[in-house]
Amino acid sequence: MLWSDYIYFLFELMAFIVAFVQWPKMKGTPYSYFMPFLLYIVIYEFGTIHNWFSINHSNLWIANIQMAIFFLFNALFLLGELKTPAFKKHLGATIVFTIGFSIINMAFFQGFWKLDTMSILLQDVVLIVLCCLYFSELMHYTLQPLSIIKLPGFWVNTGLLFFCIITFMFFASYAYMAYKNNYNYFLLFWGIANASNAILYSCLAVAFLCFRKGAEPG
């Protein structure tokens, strides 16, 4: 195993370490939940790298589960960041529908042992919409000047937006190759995974560093 092939894991580990260090300052805010979530991500990725979950030379079954968990956590977090009641009501139902679709797709259509690319694409679309609505609210409902680079929500949404756009474009372009376990797909995936995860987890680390002792950033 060449660790240079898994640079994305190092960014995930970095984000977890920053979350762990900053956790006392984030305690009592929704951002504190990132610490156990990132611990789960690090354990999952470490196990995947070492083939802990491989069955018949494939770990796609657990990738489907992990992506659903990733979606659910981030979607609920982003939903909590929104302030418009109508958005929250309709998007809450959309999140439930997306999880239901993912379960049905895994059980009856693309399957448990194949990569459920249709579910991934739908999950990415929902997260992109949530991120865009956050930025819309940030522009239209802020009544006083603020430094957006000091807002943890800005960094979380920026990282997720770029991550989801990149993965959506990738899976939309190479979904068939992914579903058929094409070897060339996996070569492409390593490069995309390293780039998209570097962006996402770097942004998360910056978001956690926005917290100062005694106060949550505005």
Side-chain angles (χ1 to χ4, degrees):
M1 179 189 71
L2 296 175
W3 278 97
S4 60
D5 293 334
Y6 302 99
I7 296 173
Y8 66 88
F9 175 76
L10 300 179
F11 281 94
E12 293 167 349
L13 182 61
M14 173 197 68
F16 166 71
I17 292 171
V18 175
F20 180 80
V21 172
Q22 290 289 97
W23 187 80
K25 301 173 186 176
M26 300 189 295
K27 193 174 180 180
T29 75
Y31 293 85
S32 63
Y33 296 111
F34 274 99
M35 200 272 285
F37 174 71
L38 289 172
L39 176 60
Y40 151 74
I41 291 291
V42 167
I43 293 172
Y44 162 78
E45 294 288 10
F46 189 81
T48 299
I49 291 170
H50 289 86
N51 293 317
W52 290 355
F53 314 115
S54 182
I55 299 176
N56 295 325
H57 307 291
S58 175
N59 59 11
L60 295 179
W61 65 276
I62 199 169
N64 291 325
I65 297 172
Q66 188 275 336
M67 289 174 183
I69 294 172
F70 177 91
F71 164 77
L72 183 60
F73 175 85
N74 286 291
L76 292 177
F77 175 83
L78 295 178
L79 187 66
E81 292 283 282
L82 297 179
K83 302 188 184 331
T84 306
F87 289 167
K88 296 171 77 75
K89 178 181 178 181
H90 295 300
L91 287 167
T94 302
I95 292 169
V96 172
F97 170 81
T98 303
I99 288 297
F101 174 87
S102 300
I103 293 172
I104 293 171
N105 187 37
M106 188 186 303
F108 301 107
F109 295 101
Q110 287 191 298
F112 187 70
W113 303 105
K114 299 283 187 179
L115 191 64
D116 295 341
T117 53
M118 290 191 298
S119 299
I120 295 170
L121 291 173
L122 178 59
Q123 291 163 11
D124 281 341
V125 168
V126 175
L127 290 175
I128 289 170
V129 170
L130 283 163
C131 290
C132 290
L133 289 174
Y134 170 84
F135 287 119
S136 176
E137 287 191 345
L138 195 61
M139 289 187 293
H140 291 95
Y141 296 113
T142 301
L143 300 179
Q144 57 187 10
L146 51 81
S147 176
I148 60 173
I149 62 173
K150 294 181 180 179
L151 293 176
F154 168 79
W155 290 105
V156 172
N157 280 270
T158 297
L160 279 169
L161 182 60
F162 277 100
F163 177 86
C164 291
I165 289 174
I166 291 171
T167 55
F168 177 85
M169 293 176 63
F170 176 72
F171 283 111
S173 300
Y174 299 103
Y176 182 78
M177 292 172 63
Y179 184 70
K180 291 297 184 181
N181 293 333
N182 186 295
Y183 178 73
N184 292 323
Y185 157 79
F186 290 103
L187 294 178
L188 289 168
F189 176 78
W190 294 135
I192 297 296
N194 283 327
S196 59
N197 279 269
I199 294 171
L200 171 59
Y201 291 99
S202 293
C203 285
L204 288 181
V206 175
F208 305 148
L209 291 172
C210 287
F211 284 83
R212 297 291 182 267
K213 190 171 183 178
E216 177 186 354

PDB file of all heavy atoms in Angstrom, residues 9-23 26 33-43 201-202 204-205 208:
ATOM      1  N   PHE A   9      -7.206  10.595   3.071  1.00  0.00           N
ATOM      2  CA  PHE A   9      -7.323  10.121   4.453  1.00  0.00           C
ATOM      3  C   PHE A   9      -6.593  11.055   5.413  1.00  0.00           C
ATOM      4  O   PHE A   9      -7.060  11.305   6.537  1.00  0.00           O
ATOM      5  CB  PHE A   9      -6.772   8.698   4.579  1.00  0.00           C
ATOM      6  CG  PHE A   9      -6.740   8.191   5.996  1.00  0.00           C
ATOM      7  CD1 PHE A   9      -7.904   7.783   6.621  1.00  0.00           C
ATOM      8  CD2 PHE A   9      -5.549   8.135   6.712  1.00  0.00           C
ATOM      9  CE1 PHE A   9      -7.889   7.319   7.929  1.00  0.00           C
ATOM     10  CE2 PHE A   9      -5.525   7.680   8.013  1.00  0.00           C
ATOM     11  CZ  PHE A   9      -6.692   7.275   8.629  1.00  0.00           C
ATOM     12  N   LEU A  10      -5.460  11.584   4.973  1.00  0.00           N
ATOM     13  CA  LEU A  10      -4.687  12.489   5.827  1.00  0.00           C
ATOM     14  C   LEU A  10      -5.464  13.779   6.088  1.00  0.00           C
ATOM     15  O   LEU A  10      -5.406  14.332   7.194  1.00  0.00           O
ATOM     16  CB  LEU A  10      -3.336  12.796   5.185  1.00  0.00           C
ATOM     17  CG  LEU A  10      -2.439  11.579   4.933  1.00  0.00           C
ATOM     18  CD1 LEU A  10      -1.130  12.004   4.277  1.00  0.00           C
ATOM     19  CD2 LEU A  10      -2.170  10.829   6.236  1.00  0.00           C
ATOM     20  N   PHE A  11      -6.216  14.259   5.097  1.00  0.00           N
ATOM     21  CA  PHE A  11      -7.042  15.451   5.307  1.00  0.00           C
ATOM     22  C   PHE A  11      -8.191  15.153   6.258  1.00  0.00           C
ATOM     23  O   PHE A  11      -8.560  15.998   7.083  1.00  0.00           O
ATOM     24  CB  PHE A  11      -7.563  15.960   3.959  1.00  0.00           C
ATOM     25  CG  PHE A  11      -6.555  16.748   3.184  1.00  0.00           C
ATOM     26  CD1 PHE A  11      -5.759  16.133   2.231  1.00  0.00           C
ATOM     27  CD2 PHE A  11      -6.386  18.108   3.408  1.00  0.00           C
ATOM     28  CE1 PHE A  11      -4.816  16.856   1.509  1.00  0.00           C
ATOM     29  CE2 PHE A  11      -5.455  18.837   2.692  1.00  0.00           C
ATOM     30  CZ  PHE A  11      -4.658  18.204   1.737  1.00  0.00           C
ATOM     31  N   GLU A  12      -8.783  13.963   6.146  1.00  0.00           N
ATOM     32  CA  GLU A  12      -9.849  13.576   7.069  1.00  0.00           C
ATOM     33  C   GLU A  12      -9.308  13.479   8.494  1.00  0.00           C
ATOM     34  O   GLU A  12      -9.961  13.934   9.444  1.00  0.00           O
ATOM     35  CB  GLU A  12     -10.438  12.239   6.633  1.00  0.00           C
ATOM     36  CG  GLU A  12     -11.174  12.308   5.301  1.00  0.00           C
ATOM     37  CD  GLU A  12     -11.484  10.955   4.717  1.00  0.00           C
ATOM     38  OE1 GLU A  12     -10.956   9.944   5.221  1.00  0.00           O
ATOM     39  OE2 GLU A  12     -12.246  10.895   3.733  1.00  0.00           O
ATOM     40  N   LEU A  13      -8.126  12.899   8.634  1.00  0.00           N
ATOM     41  CA  LEU A  13      -7.503  12.781   9.952  1.00  0.00           C
ATOM     42  C   LEU A  13      -7.184  14.161  10.521  1.00  0.00           C
ATOM     43  O   LEU A  13      -7.387  14.413  11.714  1.00  0.00           O
ATOM     44  CB  LEU A  13      -6.230  11.941   9.840  1.00  0.00           C
ATOM     45  CG  LEU A  13      -5.471  11.669  11.141  1.00  0.00           C
ATOM     46  CD1 LEU A  13      -6.353  10.897  12.126  1.00  0.00           C
ATOM     47  CD2 LEU A  13      -4.195  10.872  10.844  1.00  0.00           C
ATOM     48  N   MET A  14      -6.694  15.058   9.672  1.00  0.00           N
ATOM     49  CA  MET A  14      -6.402  16.422  10.113  1.00  0.00           C
ATOM     50  C   MET A  14      -7.657  17.106  10.630  1.00  0.00           C
ATOM     51  O   MET A  14      -7.643  17.735  11.699  1.00  0.00           O
ATOM     52  CB  MET A  14      -5.822  17.232   8.959  1.00  0.00           C
ATOM     53  CG  MET A  14      -5.633  18.721   9.273  1.00  0.00           C
ATOM     54  SD  MET A  14      -5.424  19.741   7.802  1.00  0.00           S
ATOM     55  CE  MET A  14      -7.058  19.613   7.051  1.00  0.00           C
ATOM     56  N   ALA A  15      -8.773  16.984   9.888  1.00  0.00           N
ATOM     57  CA  ALA A  15     -10.025  17.614  10.309  1.00  0.00           C
ATOM     58  C   ALA A  15     -10.492  17.053  11.647  1.00  0.00           C
ATOM     59  O   ALA A  15     -10.978  17.800  12.518  1.00  0.00           O
ATOM     60  CB  ALA A  15     -11.098  17.423   9.245  1.00  0.00           C
ATOM     61  N   PHE A  16     -10.348  15.737  11.834  1.00  0.00           N
ATOM     62  CA  PHE A  16     -10.743  15.127  13.106  1.00  0.00           C
ATOM     63  C   PHE A  16      -9.891  15.666  14.257  1.00  0.00           C
ATOM     64  O   PHE A  16     -10.417  15.980  15.336  1.00  0.00           O
ATOM     65  CB  PHE A  16     -10.625  13.605  13.042  1.00  0.00           C
ATOM     66  CG  PHE A  16     -10.690  12.966  14.408  1.00  0.00           C
ATOM     67  CD1 PHE A  16     -11.879  12.944  15.112  1.00  0.00           C
ATOM     68  CD2 PHE A  16      -9.556  12.414  14.987  1.00  0.00           C
ATOM     69  CE1 PHE A  16     -11.949  12.380  16.386  1.00  0.00           C
ATOM     70  CE2 PHE A  16      -9.612  11.848  16.250  1.00  0.00           C
ATOM     71  CZ  PHE A  16     -10.810  11.826  16.953  1.00  0.00           C
ATOM     72  N   ILE A  17      -8.588  15.764  14.058  1.00  0.00           N
ATOM     73  CA  ILE A  17      -7.694  16.251  15.117  1.00  0.00           C
ATOM     74  C   ILE A  17      -8.055  17.680  15.501  1.00  0.00           C
ATOM     75  O   ILE A  17      -8.117  18.029  16.687  1.00  0.00           O
ATOM     76  CB  ILE A  17      -6.223  16.153  14.665  1.00  0.00           C
ATOM     77  CG1 ILE A  17      -5.803  14.682  14.538  1.00  0.00           C
ATOM     78  CG2 ILE A  17      -5.298  16.877  15.652  1.00  0.00           C
ATOM     79  CD1 ILE A  17      -4.446  14.478  13.904  1.00  0.00           C
ATOM     80  N   VAL A  18      -8.319  18.527  14.497  1.00  0.00           N
ATOM     81  CA  VAL A  18      -8.711  19.913  14.784  1.00  0.00           C
ATOM     82  C   VAL A  18     -10.039  19.934  15.533  1.00  0.00           C
ATOM     83  O   VAL A  18     -10.214  20.692  16.499  1.00  0.00           O
ATOM     84  CB  VAL A  18      -8.808  20.733  13.484  1.00  0.00           C
ATOM     85  CG1 VAL A  18      -9.340  22.136  13.780  1.00  0.00           C
ATOM     86  CG2 VAL A  18      -7.443  20.831  12.811  1.00  0.00           C
ATOM     87  N   ALA A  19     -11.005  19.097  15.107  1.00  0.00           N
ATOM     88  CA  ALA A  19     -12.301  19.032  15.794  1.00  0.00           C
ATOM     89  C   ALA A  19     -12.125  18.579  17.237  1.00  0.00           C
ATOM     90  O   ALA A  19     -12.784  19.103  18.151  1.00  0.00           O
ATOM     91  CB  ALA A  19     -13.245  18.096  15.050  1.00  0.00           C
ATOM     92  N   PHE A  20     -11.236  17.616  17.459  1.00  0.00           N
ATOM     93  CA  PHE A  20     -10.979  17.107  18.806  1.00  0.00           C
ATOM     94  C   PHE A  20     -10.393  18.200  19.694  1.00  0.00           C
ATOM     95  O   PHE A  20     -10.817  18.380  20.844  1.00  0.00           O
ATOM     96  CB  PHE A  20     -10.027  15.913  18.728  1.00  0.00           C
ATOM     97  CG  PHE A  20      -9.704  15.309  20.065  1.00  0.00           C
ATOM     98  CD1 PHE A  20     -10.584  14.438  20.678  1.00  0.00           C
ATOM     99  CD2 PHE A  20      -8.513  15.619  20.713  1.00  0.00           C
ATOM    100  CE1 PHE A  20     -10.285  13.886  21.919  1.00  0.00           C
ATOM    101  CE2 PHE A  20      -8.205  15.072  21.953  1.00  0.00           C
ATOM    102  CZ  PHE A  20      -9.103  14.205  22.553  1.00  0.00           C
ATOM    103  N   VAL A  21      -9.428  18.943  19.164  1.00  0.00           N
ATOM    104  CA  VAL A  21      -8.789  20.012  19.931  1.00  0.00           C
ATOM    105  C   VAL A  21      -9.772  21.148  20.214  1.00  0.00           C
ATOM    106  O   VAL A  21      -9.804  21.712  21.308  1.00  0.00           O
ATOM    107  CB  VAL A  21      -7.549  20.545  19.174  1.00  0.00           C
ATOM    108  CG1 VAL A  21      -6.993  21.786  19.854  1.00  0.00           C
ATOM    109  CG2 VAL A  21      -6.472  19.469  19.083  1.00  0.00           C
ATOM    110  N   GLN A  22     -10.612  21.470  19.225  1.00  0.00           N
ATOM    111  CA  GLN A  22     -11.541  22.592  19.347  1.00  0.00           C
ATOM    112  C   GLN A  22     -12.859  22.205  20.013  1.00  0.00           C
ATOM    113  O   GLN A  22     -13.688  23.081  20.275  1.00  0.00           O
ATOM    114  CB  GLN A  22     -11.846  23.154  17.949  1.00  0.00           C
ATOM    115  CG  GLN A  22     -10.669  23.886  17.311  1.00  0.00           C
ATOM    116  CD  GLN A  22     -10.393  25.199  17.984  1.00  0.00           C
ATOM    117  OE1 GLN A  22      -9.516  25.302  18.848  1.00  0.00           O
ATOM    118  NE2 GLN A  22     -11.149  26.229  17.629  1.00  0.00           N
ATOM    119  N   TRP A  23     -13.053  20.925  20.280  1.00  0.00           N
ATOM    120  CA  TRP A  23     -14.345  20.467  20.792  1.00  0.00           C
ATOM    121  C   TRP A  23     -14.797  21.201  22.053  1.00  0.00           C
ATOM    122  O   TRP A  23     -15.990  21.564  22.154  1.00  0.00           O
ATOM    123  CB  TRP A  23     -14.316  18.967  21.043  1.00  0.00           C
ATOM    124  CG  TRP A  23     -15.663  18.416  21.400  1.00  0.00           C
ATOM    125  CD1 TRP A  23     -16.684  18.110  20.555  1.00  0.00           C
ATOM    126  CD2 TRP A  23     -16.154  18.123  22.720  1.00  0.00           C
ATOM    127  NE1 TRP A  23     -17.772  17.647  21.249  1.00  0.00           N
ATOM    128  CE2 TRP A  23     -17.471  17.641  22.576  1.00  0.00           C
ATOM    129  CE3 TRP A  23     -15.600  18.226  23.990  1.00  0.00           C
ATOM    130  CZ2 TRP A  23     -18.249  17.265  23.667  1.00  0.00           C
ATOM    131  CZ3 TRP A  23     -16.373  17.855  25.085  1.00  0.00           C
ATOM    132  CH2 TRP A  23     -17.679  17.379  24.917  1.00  0.00           C
ATOM    133  N   MET A  26     -16.429  24.293  20.934  1.00  0.00           N
ATOM    134  CA  MET A  26     -17.635  24.080  20.127  1.00  0.00           C
ATOM    135  C   MET A  26     -18.755  23.426  20.925  1.00  0.00           C
ATOM    136  O   MET A  26     -19.889  23.347  20.449  1.00  0.00           O
ATOM    137  CB  MET A  26     -17.304  23.207  18.903  1.00  0.00           C
ATOM    138  CG  MET A  26     -16.269  23.800  17.973  1.00  0.00           C
ATOM    139  SD  MET A  26     -16.087  22.883  16.415  1.00  0.00           S
ATOM    140  CE  MET A  26     -15.459  21.294  17.002  1.00  0.00           C
ATOM    141  N   TYR A  33     -20.980  18.034  17.093  1.00  0.00           N
ATOM    142  CA  TYR A  33     -21.287  16.699  16.588  1.00  0.00           C
ATOM    143  C   TYR A  33     -20.324  16.260  15.489  1.00  0.00           C
ATOM    144  O   TYR A  33     -20.276  15.072  15.151  1.00  0.00           O
ATOM    145  CB  TYR A  33     -22.725  16.650  16.061  1.00  0.00           C
ATOM    146  CG  TYR A  33     -23.765  16.878  17.130  1.00  0.00           C
ATOM    147  CD1 TYR A  33     -24.537  18.035  17.138  1.00  0.00           C
ATOM    148  CD2 TYR A  33     -23.964  15.943  18.147  1.00  0.00           C
ATOM    149  CE1 TYR A  33     -25.488  18.253  18.120  1.00  0.00           C
ATOM    150  CE2 TYR A  33     -24.913  16.153  19.131  1.00  0.00           C
ATOM    151  CZ  TYR A  33     -25.672  17.308  19.113  1.00  0.00           C
ATOM    152  OH  TYR A  33     -26.609  17.518  20.096  1.00  0.00           O
ATOM    153  N   PHE A  34     -19.573  17.204  14.945  1.00  0.00           N
ATOM    154  CA  PHE A  34     -18.603  16.831  13.928  1.00  0.00           C
ATOM    155  C   PHE A  34     -17.476  15.964  14.498  1.00  0.00           C
ATOM    156  O   PHE A  34     -16.883  15.179  13.774  1.00  0.00           O
ATOM    157  CB  PHE A  34     -18.000  18.068  13.261  1.00  0.00           C
ATOM    158  CG  PHE A  34     -18.805  18.587  12.110  1.00  0.00           C
ATOM    159  CD1 PHE A  34     -19.673  19.654  12.278  1.00  0.00           C
ATOM    160  CD2 PHE A  34     -18.701  17.999  10.859  1.00  0.00           C
ATOM    161  CE1 PHE A  34     -20.429  20.133  11.211  1.00  0.00           C
ATOM    162  CE2 PHE A  34     -19.444  18.462   9.788  1.00  0.00           C
ATOM    163  CZ  PHE A  34     -20.313  19.540   9.967  1.00  0.00           C
ATOM    164  N   MET A  35     -17.179  16.138  15.777  1.00  0.00           N
ATOM    165  CA  MET A  35     -16.078  15.376  16.362  1.00  0.00           C
ATOM    166  C   MET A  35     -16.351  13.872  16.328  1.00  0.00           C
ATOM    167  O   MET A  35     -15.550  13.109  15.774  1.00  0.00           O
ATOM    168  CB  MET A  35     -15.785  15.864  17.780  1.00  0.00           C
ATOM    169  CG  MET A  35     -14.382  15.474  18.268  1.00  0.00           C
ATOM    170  SD  MET A  35     -14.315  13.866  19.064  1.00  0.00           S
ATOM    171  CE  MET A  35     -15.073  14.258  20.641  1.00  0.00           C
ATOM    172  N   PRO A  36     -17.486  13.377  16.865  1.00  0.00           N
ATOM    173  CA  PRO A  36     -17.755  11.931  16.744  1.00  0.00           C
ATOM    174  C   PRO A  36     -17.991  11.495  15.303  1.00  0.00           C
ATOM    175  O   PRO A  36     -17.622  10.380  14.926  1.00  0.00           O
ATOM    176  CB  PRO A  36     -19.003  11.714  17.607  1.00  0.00           C
ATOM    177  CG  PRO A  36     -19.622  13.064  17.757  1.00  0.00           C
ATOM    178  CD  PRO A  36     -18.492  14.040  17.730  1.00  0.00           C
ATOM    179  N   PHE A  37     -18.593  12.370  14.489  1.00  0.00           N
ATOM    180  CA  PHE A  37     -18.818  12.016  13.092  1.00  0.00           C
ATOM    181  C   PHE A  37     -17.494  11.822  12.362  1.00  0.00           C
ATOM    182  O   PHE A  37     -17.328  10.845  11.610  1.00  0.00           O
ATOM    183  CB  PHE A  37     -19.636  13.099  12.398  1.00  0.00           C
ATOM    184  CG  PHE A  37     -19.789  12.886  10.916  1.00  0.00           C
ATOM    185  CD1 PHE A  37     -20.583  11.863  10.427  1.00  0.00           C
ATOM    186  CD2 PHE A  37     -19.126  13.710  10.008  1.00  0.00           C
ATOM    187  CE1 PHE A  37     -20.721  11.654   9.052  1.00  0.00           C
ATOM    188  CE2 PHE A  37     -19.269  13.517   8.640  1.00  0.00           C
ATOM    189  CZ  PHE A  37     -20.063  12.487   8.159  1.00  0.00           C
ATOM    190  N   LEU A  38     -16.542  12.706  12.575  1.00  0.00           N
ATOM    191  CA  LEU A  38     -15.238  12.585  11.912  1.00  0.00           C
ATOM    192  C   LEU A  38     -14.445  11.402  12.453  1.00  0.00           C
ATOM    193  O   LEU A  38     -13.656  10.795  11.723  1.00  0.00           O
ATOM    194  CB  LEU A  38     -14.449  13.884  12.058  1.00  0.00           C
ATOM    195  CG  LEU A  38     -14.995  15.054  11.239  1.00  0.00           C
ATOM    196  CD1 LEU A  38     -14.276  16.345  11.599  1.00  0.00           C
ATOM    197  CD2 LEU A  38     -14.868  14.778   9.747  1.00  0.00           C
ATOM    198  N   LEU A  39     -14.652  11.064  13.722  1.00  0.00           N
ATOM    199  CA  LEU A  39     -14.022   9.850  14.253  1.00  0.00           C
ATOM    200  C   LEU A  39     -14.534   8.631  13.496  1.00  0.00           C
ATOM    201  O   LEU A  39     -13.758   7.745  13.117  1.00  0.00           O
ATOM    202  CB  LEU A  39     -14.324   9.714  15.748  1.00  0.00           C
ATOM    203  CG  LEU A  39     -13.812   8.425  16.415  1.00  0.00           C
ATOM    204  CD1 LEU A  39     -12.294   8.309  16.300  1.00  0.00           C
ATOM    205  CD2 LEU A  39     -14.260   8.378  17.877  1.00  0.00           C
ATOM    206  N   TYR A  40     -15.832   8.595  13.264  1.00  0.00           N
ATOM    207  CA  TYR A  40     -16.426   7.511  12.470  1.00  0.00           C
ATOM    208  C   TYR A  40     -15.834   7.489  11.056  1.00  0.00           C
ATOM    209  O   TYR A  40     -15.486   6.418  10.541  1.00  0.00           O
ATOM    210  CB  TYR A  40     -17.943   7.681  12.415  1.00  0.00           C
ATOM    211  CG  TYR A  40     -18.572   7.135  11.165  1.00  0.00           C
ATOM    212  CD1 TYR A  40     -18.714   5.772  10.962  1.00  0.00           C
ATOM    213  CD2 TYR A  40     -19.013   8.005  10.158  1.00  0.00           C
ATOM    214  CE1 TYR A  40     -19.278   5.276   9.794  1.00  0.00           C
ATOM    215  CE2 TYR A  40     -19.580   7.526   8.999  1.00  0.00           C
ATOM    216  CZ  TYR A  40     -19.707   6.153   8.821  1.00  0.00           C
ATOM    217  OH  TYR A  40     -20.250   5.667   7.658  1.00  0.00           O
ATOM    218  N   ILE A  41     -15.698   8.658  10.428  1.00  0.00           N
ATOM    219  CA  ILE A  41     -15.145   8.742   9.075  1.00  0.00           C
ATOM    220  C   ILE A  41     -13.722   8.197   9.048  1.00  0.00           C
ATOM    221  O   ILE A  41     -13.350   7.417   8.149  1.00  0.00           O
ATOM    222  CB  ILE A  41     -15.170  10.191   8.563  1.00  0.00           C
ATOM    223  CG1 ILE A  41     -16.611  10.649   8.308  1.00  0.00           C
ATOM    224  CG2 ILE A  41     -14.331  10.346   7.293  1.00  0.00           C
ATOM    225  CD1 ILE A  41     -17.287   9.971   7.147  1.00  0.00           C
ATOM    226  N   VAL A  42     -12.908   8.591  10.013  1.00  0.00           N
ATOM    227  CA  VAL A  42     -11.511   8.154  10.059  1.00  0.00           C
ATOM    228  C   VAL A  42     -11.428   6.637  10.239  1.00  0.00           C
ATOM    229  O   VAL A  42     -10.637   5.961   9.572  1.00  0.00           O
ATOM    230  CB  VAL A  42     -10.759   8.882  11.193  1.00  0.00           C
ATOM    231  CG1 VAL A  42      -9.400   8.224  11.461  1.00  0.00           C
ATOM    232  CG2 VAL A  42     -10.559  10.354  10.824  1.00  0.00           C
ATOM    233  N   ILE A  43     -12.242   6.089  11.139  1.00  0.00           N
ATOM    234  CA  ILE A  43     -12.240   4.635  11.363  1.00  0.00           C
ATOM    235  C   ILE A  43     -12.694   3.909  10.098  1.00  0.00           C
ATOM    236  O   ILE A  43     -12.091   2.900   9.696  1.00  0.00           O
ATOM    237  CB  ILE A  43     -13.150   4.272  12.558  1.00  0.00           C
ATOM    238  CG1 ILE A  43     -12.549   4.813  13.858  1.00  0.00           C
ATOM    239  CG2 ILE A  43     -13.325   2.747  12.645  1.00  0.00           C
ATOM    240  CD1 ILE A  43     -13.465   4.662  15.063  1.00  0.00           C
ATOM    241  N   TYR A 201     -12.370  18.680   3.749  1.00  0.00           N
ATOM    242  CA  TYR A 201     -11.880  18.547   5.118  1.00  0.00           C
ATOM    243  C   TYR A 201     -10.952  19.687   5.519  1.00  0.00           C
ATOM    244  O   TYR A 201     -10.833  19.993   6.718  1.00  0.00           O
ATOM    245  CB  TYR A 201     -11.245  17.172   5.309  1.00  0.00           C
ATOM    246  CG  TYR A 201     -12.308  16.085   5.256  1.00  0.00           C
ATOM    247  CD1 TYR A 201     -12.532  15.355   4.093  1.00  0.00           C
ATOM    248  CD2 TYR A 201     -13.132  15.853   6.340  1.00  0.00           C
ATOM    249  CE1 TYR A 201     -13.543  14.400   4.032  1.00  0.00           C
ATOM    250  CE2 TYR A 201     -14.140  14.901   6.293  1.00  0.00           C
ATOM    251  CZ  TYR A 201     -14.337  14.180   5.135  1.00  0.00           C
ATOM    252  OH  TYR A 201     -15.348  13.255   5.080  1.00  0.00           O
ATOM    253  N   SER A 202     -10.348  20.355   4.551  1.00  0.00           N
ATOM    254  CA  SER A 202      -9.609  21.582   4.863  1.00  0.00           C
ATOM    255  C   SER A 202     -10.583  22.672   5.298  1.00  0.00           C
ATOM    256  O   SER A 202     -10.333  23.403   6.266  1.00  0.00           O
ATOM    257  CB  SER A 202      -8.809  22.055   3.644  1.00  0.00           C
ATOM    258  OG  SER A 202      -7.776  21.149   3.330  1.00  0.00           O
ATOM    259  N   LEU A 204     -13.534  22.200   6.627  1.00  0.00           N
ATOM    260  CA  LEU A 204     -14.055  21.844   7.949  1.00  0.00           C
ATOM    261  C   LEU A 204     -13.070  22.235   9.047  1.00  0.00           C
ATOM    262  O   LEU A 204     -13.465  22.772  10.088  1.00  0.00           O
ATOM    263  CB  LEU A 204     -14.338  20.341   8.019  1.00  0.00           C
ATOM    264  CG  LEU A 204     -15.546  19.826   7.230  1.00  0.00           C
ATOM    265  CD1 LEU A 204     -15.713  18.325   7.425  1.00  0.00           C
ATOM    266  CD2 LEU A 204     -16.826  20.550   7.632  1.00  0.00           C
ATOM    267  N   ALA A 205     -11.803  21.981   8.809  1.00  0.00           N
ATOM    268  CA  ALA A 205     -10.787  22.344   9.801  1.00  0.00           C
ATOM    269  C   ALA A 205     -10.785  23.849  10.052  1.00  0.00           C
ATOM    270  O   ALA A 205     -10.708  24.302  11.207  1.00  0.00           O
ATOM    271  CB  ALA A 205      -9.406  21.877   9.334  1.00  0.00           C
ATOM    272  N   PHE A 208     -13.783  24.852  12.210  1.00  0.00           N
ATOM    273  CA  PHE A 208     -13.600  24.584  13.642  1.00  0.00           C
ATOM    274  C   PHE A 208     -12.669  25.611  14.277  1.00  0.00           C
ATOM    275  O   PHE A 208     -12.858  25.989  15.435  1.00  0.00           O
ATOM    276  CB  PHE A 208     -13.045  23.179  13.841  1.00  0.00           C
ATOM    277  CG  PHE A 208     -13.864  22.088  13.198  1.00  0.00           C
ATOM    278  CD1 PHE A 208     -13.259  20.941  12.695  1.00  0.00           C
ATOM    279  CD2 PHE A 208     -15.237  22.216  13.078  1.00  0.00           C
ATOM    280  CE1 PHE A 208     -14.004  19.940  12.095  1.00  0.00           C
ATOM    281  CE2 PHE A 208     -15.998  21.212  12.466  1.00  0.00           C
ATOM    282  CZ  PHE A 208     -15.374  20.083  11.978  1.00  0.00           C
TER     283      PHE A 208
END
